Amino acid sequence: MKATDAARRHTTPLTNPAYAPVVPRFTDREYLNIVYRTDVDALRAVVPEPLEIDEPLVRFEVMRMGDVSGYGPYTEAGQAIPVRLGDERGEYLHAMHLDNFPATASGREVSAYPKTVGAPRLYVDHGALVGTLDYGTLRVATATMGYKHHPLDLAEAREQIAVPTFMLKIVPGYDGRPRVAELVRTRITDVTVKQAWTGPARLQLFEHVLAPLADLPVREVVSASHVLTDLTLAPVTPVHDYLEAS
């Protein structure tokens, strides 16, 4: 293989790429979102500057992807933290657990999504929408919401899932020091909200050293939503370079 051909490859392994060179389109992406109040000191310990916290809130999410170009169906769960950068409000992605390797590798390498392994599920059980996350054989989170109790305004649902998203991109060099250390921003585009519901909800988080969601403990459930949508992920844009600032 010529050097010019090798340089045009987008991912390793060279002859068996970890993910497809596509911009994924999500069809029938189903969300269970539970916003809860937590400890402000716990949030300050994990949210990087220059992001700021106005309220000690966390959004726990479970997302079942009905169909995704390049990846196929899969499920994802994690935590997002409402933050502010200057005058812009958005969310900082804190944790993401997936059951699909190509989607995990692509999100971590190309962008900065904090993705790792896990076994999330989203299903209906005796009138409750249930979202769970297991890490290995152990339960990490259990969320329940009344199934389609009250309609949610579609515009409000769209606003919930299309807020600006901030992530921390860290790429180490061969000497162990960071070669890239940036705060990046993205935003979901081409959003079509098909259904949206709200209702009562509960959330339990369980301690696990490799999936420490419970480090942001649940003090009060604030709101919940169940949303079905189509959407596209936009590329990320750097908004702060930690290496230049140091």
Side-chain angles (χ1 to χ4, degrees):
M1 180 181 293
K2 294 181 179 180
T4 53
D5 293 332
R8 283 196 289 265
R9 300 301 175 100
H10 66 279
T11 179
T12 59
L14 191 62
T15 59
N16 182 26
Y19 52 88
V22 299
V23 176
R25 175 66 178 174
F26 293 78
T27 304
D28 291 335
R29 181 170 179 166
E30 186 176 12
Y31 287 82
L32 167 58
N33 297 308
I34 298 183
V35 177
Y36 69 91
R37 198 174 306 278
T38 190
D39 297 339
V40 66
D41 289 340
L43 285 184
R44 287 175 177 154
V46 299
V47 174
E49 296 178 337
L51 296 176
E52 298 183 78
I53 301 164
D54 290 330
E55 290 188 80
L57 300 177
V58 181
R59 182 172 62 85
F60 174 78
E61 62 180 5
V62 182
M63 296 173 286
R64 182 171 57 195
M65 320 300 181
D67 181 62
V68 189
S69 53
Y71 308 140
Y74 66 93
T75 308
E76 180 176 329
Q79 290 168 311
I81 301 169
V83 293
R84 177 172 48 82
L85 182 63
D87 294 330
E88 183 175 51
R89 299 184 184 276
E91 290 184 331
Y92 171 68
L93 291 187
H94 175 59
M96 305 176 79
H97 294 264
L98 288 73
D99 60 3
N100 180 295
F101 177 73
T104 302
S106 173
R108 286 169 61 102
E109 293 180 19
V110 177
S111 302
Y113 293 94
K115 296 184 176 184
T116 187
V117 298
R121 291 185 64 203
L122 184 62
Y123 59 97
V124 178
D125 183 20
H126 291 275
L129 181 64
V130 180
T132 62
L133 173 62
D134 294 346
Y135 191 93
T137 62
L138 299 179
R139 178 58 45 90
V140 175
T142 299
T144 55
M145 174 183 168
Y147 185 69
K148 296 187 177 182
H149 279 203
H150 308 289
L152 178 65
D153 181 75
L154 298 185
E156 181 179 346
R158 187 184 189 281
E159 184 176 341
Q160 287 183 10
I161 64 175
V163 298
T165 299
F166 300 97
M167 300 169 288
L168 194 60
K169 180 162 186 171
I170 300 176
V171 180
Y174 297 106
D175 58 0
R177 293 180 296 181
R179 178 175 290 188
V180 176
E182 296 175 333
L183 184 69
V184 301
R185 177 194 182 278
T186 186
R187 193 165 191 171
I188 290 172
T189 62
D190 299 329
V191 182
T192 301
V193 177
K194 298 177 175 180
Q195 297 182 33
W197 305 84
T198 188
R202 299 290 186 272
L203 175 62
Q204 294 173 287
L205 302 178
F206 305 95
E207 302 281 353
H208 194 299
V209 66
L210 298 183
L213 278 70
D215 286 1
L216 302 179
V218 179
R219 299 306 184 203
E220 177 192 9
V221 171
V222 175
S223 63
S225 62
H226 175 202
V227 181
L228 183 65
T229 181
D230 299 341
L231 57 86
T232 302
L233 299 181
V236 302
T237 303
V239 294
H240 182 78
D241 190 327
Y242 293 95
L243 299 183
E244 288 187 359
S246 61

